[in-house]
Amino acid sequence: MDSMWIAAGTFLCLLTASLVMMHLYPKLSPRHRDEDTNMVVRLVANIFVVMTSLVFGLMINSAKNTFEAIDSNMHAYATSLIILDRSLRTYGPAAQNTRDHLVVYVGQAVENPYRGDQALLHQKSLAAQYLDDIGAALAAIKPADRYHETLLVDIRQQYHALIEQRWKIVEQSEGAIPGPLIGMLVAWMTLIYASFGYRAPRNPMVISMFTVSSLLIAASVYLVLDMDIPFHGPVQISDAPLRRALAEMQL
């Protein structure tokens, strides 16, 4: 889903519904403009106002939980990188080549963050290749004694756990809000705005309020959808944990 296009569509639907209904109201027959009809229109609109508020609140909560979960996983991933680096330092000079690959990998991950949809576009990740180089460097290490053999087993376990964490973050980056729910929410809000246009006075102030409020609601929808995909758009997961991990490795 393209959040920007959904937001633009939301804005057009809301504004068009209100202005069209405002334009059509004087042309309706008297029985479609009486007080009883107006009351029913308002009651139906109130039902959808409540439903829209509940669903939109759930969407915000879902996007917030997704964002916080990935942010927590990013901090855990950075911590695992630091621990792996410390373990390689403890191993000694024989692991220096692996440490060099690790530093290069983290630097590449910071400069060119991997997006979850790159694989679908058949785009290779340079950072993933550097991560594979770490595994190859670990496989080339020959422990000199029992102590280093035990350390190497632990380091390799850390490396495999690191790969698992990375792919967990990548798989979480696609968003969790279903498209049909977004479509239903926009349809409800369009109906609400159409009811606002019913019997609304035709003057510049009312039209300006419809325009501004439609724009703000569309912007809210955009921000929620953008937060649900934390590696795209203006609301993104901070790379500060990875930068701190890189700084620690370079000390």
Side-chain angles (χ1 to χ4, degrees):
M1 292 183 298
D2 190 332
S3 303
M4 184 63 73
W5 284 110
I6 293 175
T10 301
F11 171 73
L12 290 177
C13 286
L14 300 187
L15 184 60
T16 301
S18 58
L19 296 182
V20 167
M21 184 56 69
M22 184 189 301
H23 176 74
L24 290 179
Y25 177 76
K27 300 180 181 180
L28 298 175
S29 62
R31 67 189 182 91
H32 291 150
R33 293 184 291 167
D34 59 23
E35 191 58 35
D36 291 338
T37 302
N38 179 58
M39 183 179 66
V40 172
V41 170
R42 298 299 183 190
L43 288 175
V44 172
N46 287 339
I47 293 174
F48 284 101
V49 166
V50 174
M51 294 174 64
T52 299
S53 300
L54 292 174
V55 172
F56 196 60
L58 291 174
M59 285 176 56
I60 293 173
N61 188 61
S62 174
K64 172 178 172 292
N65 290 338
T66 300
F67 190 89
E68 290 180 344
I70 298 181
D71 184 63
S72 177
N73 288 338
M74 282 292 290
H75 282 82
Y77 186 61
T79 301
S80 298
L81 288 169
I82 294 173
I83 293 174
L84 178 59
D85 179 68
R86 297 290 182 182
S87 299
L88 291 171
R89 289 188 184 189
T90 303
Y91 190 90
Q96 184 59 44
N97 184 44
T98 307
R99 282 197 67 232
D100 293 339
H101 284 298
L102 181 61
V103 171
V104 172
Y105 161 69
V106 177
Q108 181 66 32
V110 169
E111 296 301 324
N112 300 289
Y114 183 74
R115 310 304 186 195
D117 55 358
Q118 282 183 283
L120 297 177
L121 299 175
H122 304 287
Q123 297 177 357
K124 293 184 178 180
S125 170
L126 291 177
Q129 295 177 14
Y130 288 122
L131 191 60
D132 292 339
D133 291 340
I134 297 172
L138 281 175
I141 296 177
K142 304 298 182 182
D145 50 42
R146 183 69 176 178
Y147 170 72
H148 285 88
E149 183 179 348
T150 303
L151 280 179
L152 187 59
V153 170
D154 182 59
I155 290 172
R156 285 173 177 169
Q157 290 176 349
Q158 292 177 31
Y159 169 72
H160 289 296
L162 197 68
I163 295 176
E164 182 179 349
Q165 285 180 296
R166 178 184 182 273
W167 281 107
K168 182 184 294 185
I169 293 171
V170 170
E171 291 300 322
Q172 287 177 326
S173 65
E174 297 179 355
I177 299 177
L181 182 61
I182 299 170
M184 185 62 68
L185 182 68
V186 174
W188 290 350
M189 291 191 294
T190 301
L191 180 62
I192 294 169
Y193 264 70
S195 71
F196 290 163
Y198 183 79
R199 273 200 171 182
R202 301 173 66 178
N203 60 61
M205 179 58 70
V206 172
I207 294 175
S208 298
M209 287 302 298
F210 281 148
T211 303
V212 172
S213 60
S214 299
L215 182 61
L216 292 176
I217 290 178
S220 300
V221 171
Y222 170 73
L223 290 176
V224 170
L225 295 179
D226 185 69
M227 187 168 63
D228 191 53
I229 308 176
F231 294 106
H232 292 272
V235 184
Q236 294 194 24
I237 295 293
S238 172
D239 62 355
L242 291 180
R243 291 187 181 277
R244 283 194 293 268
L246 181 61
E248 287 289 334
M249 295 175 188
Q250 293 173 338
L251 291 177

